[in-house]
Amino acid sequence: MRDAIVMVHDVSKIYRLGTAEVPALCDVSLDIRRGEFLSIAGPSGSGKTTLLNLIGCIDTPTSGSVIVDGKDTRGLSERALTALRLQRIGFVFQTFNLVQVLSVWQNVEFPLLLKGGLSRKERDTRVRALLDAVGLTRYARHRPSELSGGQRQRVAVARALVTGPALVLADEPTANLDSRTGETIVDLMKKMNARDGTTFIFSTHDPRVMAHATDVVRIADGQVVEREATERAVAARGA
Amino acid sequence: MKTKIGTTGVLLQIAFRNLFASKTKSLIVGGIILVGSMIAVVGSSVVDSIDAGMRGSVQGSLGGQLQVYSARSKDDLALYGKMGGEASQLEPIEEFAALKRVVAAVPNVKEVVPMGLDSAMVNSGNELDQALEKLRADVRQRNRKGGDPALDARYASHKAHVRRMATLLRKELQDGRSIVDAEYLEENAQEQADLARAAADAFWAGFDQDPLGNLEFLENRIAPQSLSNAFTMVRYVGTDLESYSRAFDRMHVVEGTMVPKGKRGILIGKLFAEDWLKLKAARLLDRVRDARTSRNRRIARDVELQRWLKEARGQTREILLKLDPMGADEAVARLRRALGSQETDLQALLVALFTCDDSSFDRHYAIFYESVAPLLDLYSVRVGDVITLKAASKSGYMKSVNVKVWGFLEFRGLEKATAAGWVSILDIVSWRDLYGYMTSEKAAEIRAIKRNVGVRDVTREKAEAELFGSGSGATPADDAARQGRIEVPSFARTLHLQSDADMAGRGYTQDEVDGGVALNAALVLRDTTRAKETMRDVRAALAAAHMNMKVVSWEEAAGALGQFVALARIILYTAVFFIFLVALVIINNATVMATLQRVKSIGTLRAIGAQKRFVVAMLLVETSAVGVAFGAAGALLGAGVVELVRFVGGIPATNEDLSFFFSGPSLVPRLGTVSLAISIGIVLVVSVLSGLYPALIATRITPLEAMQSED
């Protein structure tokens, strides 16, 4: 596939617990195209978080290859992986993971500061636009602890998108939210997917959240069971 | 570049906000650092000030900046005695003049002062001896030119004085009879009979028939029985007095005059005189007064002061012995008036005088000094007296010299310091006599005698070689050292006695003062900050002149005393080291704990793209910020404490040794910039060190941690 942003080939991941070896993924292969809004579904312990970690360059496979945005993660150093995460990938976590001591604005701005290369003005424009997009402009000066769960997750989404990544990974982004709030978050992500064409990959075991995805990859016992293409959605965008 | 600043900014922001987010941890860590740096600042200021005080004390009294002594010496030079208080054994500098020539040529050397440190016994004679001496003078005068009314009255009074003393001695012996056994009494029957005779009316009625014979009886049979025949040891430095007073300007004469140039004589340390030569009751009163005024102690609640007063009451006999009947009557009259008493017995009056509480002490003290003291000789040695110094010479036999006391001396700032205040200063010619070395004039005298009797100069050591050919292990230098020594005690003794009288009177030229032995030489420098390089120069000059000498700094020369400061510094730094070691462990633990609590947030930072070095920098900024802030606060607080101590007048020297270390009555600490910098440096190092391990742990936190759901 020419426009695949993620290519996973024959990937296995084995964790060592003492002397026991626990296989988390077995020979998984998966291609993800640019602009997809992909859900990885499966029961807990099925290996979906492991797969996300491998794609997100925060872990490396025991065997097989993971190619993200044209870069094979196998040959990369720890520093290069960190740089790759910073440049190309955004993260949304199950537990929001905002920096408690920074304001909403600073949390969103933070990846831009790490990345560098932008003037203060450019940064301000981007942060303001994103806060606006997630509807939190009036909370810019607030600390995360002063916000509701849904609001925090929206800050997280804004933070994930602020560097203009090719790919956003979200691990159970709605698990800590009530179902209504969860849906608004998925709606928000989808809106951003539609607006900028950013690829979203999120794991979930909530069928209602899954319904929003263009593709659903089902995983069980460390293996891809099936891939349900919601082709019409992709086709509608003419990809 | 701009974003570099942006990154740093956000790093600092996160770091500082984290500090405020975990206040308890920051305060605990900060508190420890604060206390530590405060102790470091106060401690090092105090030690620095002691160092400076010691420097003043040692350099200004005996040390100078450098000391030179023979490298062949067994001991190291210890100006204030070795650990046990003994004088150090030094090999003499044979020809001081030669050394002086070499050393004085070094540009930075201002003064080269010859020294011989030793101690000698002083016998000032007992009261009975003194009374008998007065009586003998009267008798001589009467025999020479007959009596006159004034002389007769004095003669009668002196006779009565001696008789009173004999009576007192006898009474004392009778009082003691009940507690001694019969055997003792039998053994001492002769003494008792003598005392009985000396106290009897018959003896005194017939005294004038043979005054000289009777005086002899008193001197030989009664005087030895007087128990107050005490020797005291006086520590002195034999030196070129003129050069000494130029070099050590802290020394000043408080009573009497400087020994005239080229004369023999001694200046006695004022504090030594106070402690050892003063009437004991007066000394005890002084001590009570000092304790009351300068240490705020009170008789009512201080057993020691009570004991001193009790001791003073036990010392009244000494005062009675010192007074002849005329003086005693006067004292009774004065005390009755001053105390408003009807008592007629002097001893009872004195006991009443020494019985006082906090309200009456000052008045009684004044009465003693105004009414009683003028009638007495408060000190057993007065300016103008000739005292006899006795000491074991180098070759072991006793030597003695008579020297005139020209005055009493003090060292400015060291008035109360035993180590300096007990030192007396003796002319070097007399010291050479005591030490058993020939003065150049004696050497000449001996040479003349030897020429006359035709002996060859053969020393004991050389005798073997002379008889059996060479082969003795002695080096030429050793031989030279021994040649100067007088080897035949009796011979020297005779010479000594013969020349004593005219020696005391005659003057000595600078050549004679310089031309002989010394044990060590103190060097006073023009520029005292260049002591180190001058030491090198002096060493080089001595080596060039083939003189086998050691050159040491004043610190080294001060011996055990000099090591005190080094010791204090070691103790302080050890204490600081341990405080900070404990601090390091506690801070480390606290920071590790804090880091472990932040695993998830650090993992998140890593996941969203922060490099390891960002995390490390963040943690180091956190710990060092705490270190700097609280370290600076502690240093400021310490500076405040130092200033406060200065404001209240310093740390009082509560004993005489301390006043030497403090170089004055109290230690006024000064904030040293160097010690301040060192303390702050230590704080910084510790805070960075204590942040390193937590930072290392933080680098092991992977971005995976961000994915963990909350516990």
Side-chain angles (χ1 to χ4, degrees), chain B residues 502-560:
Chain B
D502 58 274
M503 271 186 190
R506 63 160 289 206
Y508 294 85
T509 64
Q510 190 64 45
D511 284 347
E512 284 172 304
V513 168
D514 287 346
V517 296
L519 287 186
N520 55 297
L523 308 189
V524 175
L525 308 184
R526 281 178 228 282
D527 179 0
T528 54
T529 58
R530 282 171 43 218
K532 271 227 168 68
E533 53 180 284
T534 309
M535 191 195 277
R536 274 197 303 275
D537 295 346
V538 171
R539 278 192 183 133
L542 287 168
H546 303 291
M547 288 184 173
N548 188 14
M549 296 287 161
K550 266 189 197 165
V551 184
V552 295
S553 66
W554 66 271
E555 290 104 321
E556 238 178 290

Side-chain angles (χ1 to χ4, degrees), chain B residues 6-29:
Chain B
T7 318
T8 314
V10 77
L11 186 147
L12 291 177
Q13 229 161 13
I14 295 178
F16 281 108
R17 288 184 183 177
N18 274 330
L19 287 181
F20 286 103
S22 48
K23 276 198 197 79
T24 323
K25 182 211 100 181
S26 304
L27 284 178
I28 290 174
V29 169

Side-chain angles (χ1 to χ4, degrees), chain A residues 78-79 85 97 101 106 113, chain B residues 7 13 17 606 613 706:
Chain A
E78 156 70 33
R79 276 186 76 153
R85 287 199 299 271
N97 296 19
V101 294
Q106 288 171 318
L113 291 169
Chain B
T7 318
Q13 229 161 13
R17 288 184 183 177
R606 297 277 289 112
R613 57 166 190 258

Side-chain angles (χ1 to χ4, degrees), chain B residues 42 45-46 49 638-652 666-672:
Chain B
V42 174
S45 299
V46 167
S49 309
V641 169
V642 170
E643 287 305 315
L644 192 74
V645 170
R646 286 174 68 87
F647 180 74
V648 300
I651 305 161
S666 64
L667 181 75
V668 183
R670 279 186 46 199
L671 215 53

Side-chain angles (χ1 to χ4, degrees), chain A residues 68-170:
Chain A
V68 177
D69 202 18
K71 284 208 172 96
D72 191 341
T73 62
R74 246 187 327 196
L76 296 181
S77 68
E78 156 70 33
R79 276 186 76 153
L81 284 175
T82 305
L84 185 60
R85 287 199 299 271
L86 177 63
Q87 305 294 336
R88 309 305 299 150
I89 306 170
F91 288 90
V92 176
F93 303 96
Q94 184 182 343
T95 49
F96 324 135
N97 296 19
L98 301 176
V99 181
Q100 296 297 325
V101 294
L102 297 181
S103 69
V104 165
W105 180 285
Q106 288 171 318
N107 264 287
V108 177
E109 190 188 22
F110 184 64
L112 289 182
L113 291 169
L114 286 180
K115 196 175 171 190
L118 288 180
S119 71
R120 191 191 170 92
K121 214 168 174 181
E122 288 169 306
R123 289 200 306 268
D124 285 358
T125 315
R126 280 216 204 184
V127 173
R128 197 172 297 118
L130 269 166
L131 283 180
D132 200 32
V134 300
L136 286 174
T137 311
R138 22 193 299 252
Y139 295 96
R141 304 272 153 233
H142 287 237
R143 291 283 179 94
S145 56
E146 294 161 352
L147 304 180
S148 70
Q151 286 170 326
R152 287 187 215 183
Q153 199 61 305
R154 279 192 272 161
V155 176
V157 172
R159 179 177 67 182
L161 290 168
V162 76
T163 54
L167 176 67
V168 171
L169 297 171

Side-chain angles (χ1 to χ4, degrees), chain B residues 127 161 164-165 168 316-323:
Chain B
E127 284 85 8
H161 189 193
R164 242 167 55 88
M165 287 172 131
L168 280 167
T316 49
R317 190 192 74 119
E318 199 188 348
I319 300 176
L320 296 186
L321 286 172
K322 275 184 180 290
L323 290 166

